[in-house]
Amino acid sequence: FYTLLAISTTVFDSICYKRCLSLGLILDKDGKKMSKSKGNTVDPEGLISKYGADTVRLFVMFAAPPDQSLEWSEQGVQGSFRFLNRIWNLTQEHVDIGIPEKLEFDNNNKEALSLRIKTHQTLNKVKDDYERRHAFNTAIASVMELSNKIPKQFIANNSSLSERSAAHEAIMNIIIMLAPITPHLSQHLWWELGKDTPIIDHIWPEADPGLLI
């Protein structure tokens, strides 16, 4: 990396990368750097077979800021697995009661309005975390927080249209925000929501400025 950087600047008088993100080290449970020579590396294949690639990706991105050291923990992988299961179940329950054909929002419903505000604030923050800060761990934490804010009665058979609409907006955007990190799960849930296009091609939704106050 540094050889290429030196050659680029001295020979071509330009930097070969517009932006560079240097990743931290992965540490074992004793806080030591993982190394093949030390024999303390973890083969991710077993965890991928047990929990899925998306779970392992989510854990690695969530466990620490990308520029800091990451302490490996199978308990942390299990926690990521539980979160993705919760998103799966949340989406399935929402689909089971019927996706609104047309979203209708009622600002007089304080709980629905509160969820919409949280959804758009999260969209705005996660976009900044991805594009500018490269803070993938806080992006994931924000999505987790949003998922916890969806009231259970919003995905029940007796929910109102405005409540189901607010829940649909939140769930759809949770899936979009997770797609760069958990692409397989997100694509499947995208289909479950009735979308027939690749989620990776979907334009990032812009937050409503009126809901960011």
Side-chain angles (χ1 to χ4, degrees):
F1 173 85
Y2 287 108
T3 301
L4 289 174
L5 187 61
I7 292 172
S8 177
T9 52
T10 55
V11 177
F12 301 106
D13 196 29
S14 66
I15 298 173
C16 49
Y17 304 101
K18 289 184 179 179
R19 288 187 294 178
C20 172
L21 177 63
S22 297
L23 301 179
L25 300 173
I26 297 182
L27 311 177
D28 65 13
K29 61 182 180 180
D30 297 322
K32 297 178 181 178
K33 173 187 170 184
M34 282 193 184
S35 167
K36 285 184 178 180
S37 61
K38 294 179 181 178
N40 63 345
T41 59
V42 174
D43 186 353
E45 285 299 321
L47 292 172
I48 290 171
S49 298
K50 186 175 181 180
Y51 299 108
D54 279 354
T55 298
V56 178
R57 284 166 60 95
L58 181 73
F59 165 71
V60 170
M61 304 295 261
F62 178 61
D67 59 341
Q68 294 182 22
S69 296
L70 179 160
E71 187 170 324
W72 190 264
S73 162
E74 187 161 349
Q75 287 77 17
V77 176
Q78 292 169 358
S80 296
F81 185 66
R82 287 194 296 270
F83 168 68
L84 293 182
N85 273 326
R86 188 151 54 84
I87 297 301
W88 173 277
N89 293 330
L90 183 69
T91 306
Q92 298 302 326
E93 290 170 11
H94 174 63
V95 171
D96 288 344
I97 66 169
I99 298 172
E101 292 184 7
K102 184 179 179 182
L103 301 185
E104 293 186 13
F105 302 109
D106 180 9
N107 288 341
N108 292 319
N109 186 322
K110 299 301 182 184
E111 274 195 293
L113 178 59
S114 176
L115 178 58
R116 293 204 68 214
I117 290 172
K118 185 65 177 175
T119 298
H120 286 259
Q121 288 176 339
T122 305
L123 266 175
N124 196 54
K125 182 182 184 307
V126 171
K127 179 181 180 180
D128 186 55
D129 284 344
Y130 278 156
E131 285 191 344
R132 184 180 65 86
R133 299 179 62 234
H134 294 149
F136 310 117
N137 59 317
T138 60
I140 295 168
S142 297
V143 174
M144 289 177 171
E145 190 177 329
L146 173 59
S147 70
N148 290 329
K149 292 290 185 180
I150 302 175
K152 289 186 180 295
Q153 66 267 25
F154 281 23
I155 50 174
N157 288 320
N158 59 349
S159 58
S160 67
L161 178 57
S162 65
E163 290 171 341
R164 278 185 286 130
S165 296
H168 182 79
E169 182 182 47
I171 292 169
M172 183 179 69
N173 284 301
I174 284 172
I175 293 169
I176 291 171
M177 288 185 281
L178 285 177
I181 295 172
T182 59
H184 306 94
L185 176 82
S186 299
Q187 181 60 64
H188 190 91
L189 294 180
W190 190 243
W191 287 329
E192 290 284 320
L193 292 179
K195 310 293 184 181
D196 57 4
T197 56
I199 193 171
I200 197 68
D201 293 337
H202 189 75
I203 296 173
W204 187 271
E206 291 295 330
D208 184 341
L211 294 173
L212 296 180
I213 302 172

